[in-house]
Amino acid sequence: YTAHMQNKGKILVIDDDLTLRTLLQSKFSEYGYAVETAADGVEGLERYKIFRPDIIVLDILMPRMDGYTFVEEFERIADVKKTPIIILSSLQPMQDIFKMRGINDYIVKPFRLEDLFRKIDKRMEAKHKKILIVDDQSGVLEMMHDRLCQNGYEVITANNGLEGLEKARREKPDLLVIDVMVPKLDGYTLCRMLKFDEKYRRIAVVLLSTLARENDADIRQQVKADAFMTKPYDSDLLLNTIKELLWD
């Protein structure tokens, strides 16, 4: 590859469809990426060791070694947080893929090339999606922080609503998880202030509450929250909700 082609980064495409591999290699190269391809997971692992890509584009259903097994093997030799994997799959529903630790990006086949390019450009700019947790219970903060970090997210925390608002404006996270009862500025008000501000309204918000009340759905609609869960929350369900909201 010529020097100018190396400047955008390196992509490894793992897919058993030769036509798709050839198309992606040609298009990514034109777009300024260095590209290597592999026909299955076994070949993909070998290519990874030599090529050391910035991003991996991975099919699920392949001979010899499928995408699920590739991810398990890959995690033994590398860090999914440092080398994001984007899943290309015609599988519906996506719940099995949501369960894969560290896999937070998917494109459903058939797809438009510009959607894949946009996703790859975003991943090159920021390797992980950023989540801000706002909760005044340090145990909850710590547990949620660790679980989300393990799953490949960049995580920042705040222990009151005012600090949450300031960090949301400064850090521009992709998603907020807010306990509605945080001090200094409650979760509903914080959510509303962000959602009714043109600059921040696209940030996804999950509200957590220990009190389930009959008018929760109405309040959630009024403050434009994207999801609402009661505490104690199911951490798998929260993770799935986050993955679905951040699946662009």
Side-chain angles (χ1 to χ4, degrees):
Y1 293 97
T2 54
H4 79 276
M5 285 205 166
Q6 301 259 0
N7 61 9
K8 288 196 83 165
K10 300 195 288 186
I11 300 173
L12 172 60
V13 177
I14 307 172
D15 198 304
D16 61 333
D17 181 337
L18 176 60
T19 311
L20 184 61
R21 285 203 311 277
T22 311
L23 172 73
L24 291 181
Q25 178 149 30
S26 149
K27 293 294 182 186
F28 285 147
S29 298
E30 278 172 31
Y31 204 62
Y33 287 108
V35 191
E36 285 274 338
T37 66
D40 59 49
V42 177
E43 196 184 333
L45 287 171
E46 293 309 312
R47 286 270 194 282
Y48 170 79
K49 289 171 190 168
I50 299 160
F51 185 53
R52 298 287 166 177
D54 299 296
I55 284 181
I56 295 170
V57 176
L58 176 69
D59 185 23
I60 289 289
L61 301 174
M62 297 179 289
R64 281 215 300 174
M65 184 190 285
D66 66 11
Y68 298 120
T69 315
F70 173 86
V71 172
E72 282 171 27
E73 295 295 323
F74 181 76
E75 285 202 308
R76 291 186 186 152
I77 58 165
D79 185 351
V80 155
K81 290 203 285 290
K82 292 197 176 78
T83 311
I85 295 175
I86 297 174
I87 298 285
L88 282 186
S89 179
S90 49
L91 282 185
Q92 296 285 11
M94 303 298 282
Q95 289 309 320
D96 289 339
I97 293 170
F98 282 148
K99 288 189 191 108
M100 294 164 78
R101 201 175 90 173
I103 304 299
N104 305 315
D105 269 316
Y106 337 83
I107 286 218
V108 178
K109 293 177 178 177
F111 59 90
R112 297 184 316 159
L113 273 174
E114 52 264 41
D115 291 340
L116 182 56
F117 280 138
R118 194 184 73 243
K119 197 178 273 287
I120 282 175
D121 283 345
K122 274 175 78 174
R123 279 293 138 268
M124 286 290 186
E125 280 167 33
K127 285 291 173 75
H128 335 294
K129 294 184 180 179
K130 194 188 290 183
I131 295 177
L132 169 59
I133 309 166
V134 187
D135 200 307
D136 59 331
Q137 292 177 288
S138 57
V140 172
L141 267 187
E142 205 173 306
M143 204 163 61
M144 214 182 292
H145 175 277
D146 292 351
R147 181 82 200 270
L148 292 173
C149 282
Q150 279 170 2
N151 276 277
Y153 295 107
E154 181 185 339
V155 184
I156 40 181
T157 61
N159 52 27
N160 66 65
L162 279 179
E163 186 192 355
L165 181 63
E166 186 258 315
K167 284 188 173 175
R169 287 172 171 167
R170 190 180 68 222
E171 300 277 349
K172 296 189 175 63
D174 299 286
L175 179 140
L176 272 87
V177 179
I178 310 170
D179 182 339
V180 299
M181 301 301 284
V182 284
K184 296 191 181 176
L185 183 70
D186 69 81
Y188 292 123
T189 309
L190 171 54
C191 178
R192 190 181 170 84
M193 286 175 79
L194 292 171
K195 287 293 191 179
F196 284 83
D197 186 323
E198 187 57 37
K199 286 204 287 278
Y200 309 107
R201 67 184 178 84
R202 286 182 188 81
I203 298 174
V205 175
V206 179
L207 291 177
L208 299 179
S209 173
T210 41
L211 303 169
R213 291 172 301 200
E214 283 181 14
N215 63 343
D216 276 337
D218 296 340
I219 297 173
R220 185 189 133 189
Q221 276 185 322
Q222 284 166 22
V223 300
K224 296 196 182 311
D226 299 275
F228 186 94
M229 294 177 70
T230 50
K231 281 181 166 182
Y233 63 91
D234 174 330
S235 63
D236 287 341
L237 182 60
L238 177 62
L239 192 59
N240 273 5
T241 303
I242 288 170
K243 286 187 177 195
E244 286 179 23
L245 289 172
L246 290 181
W247 180 18
D248 48 28

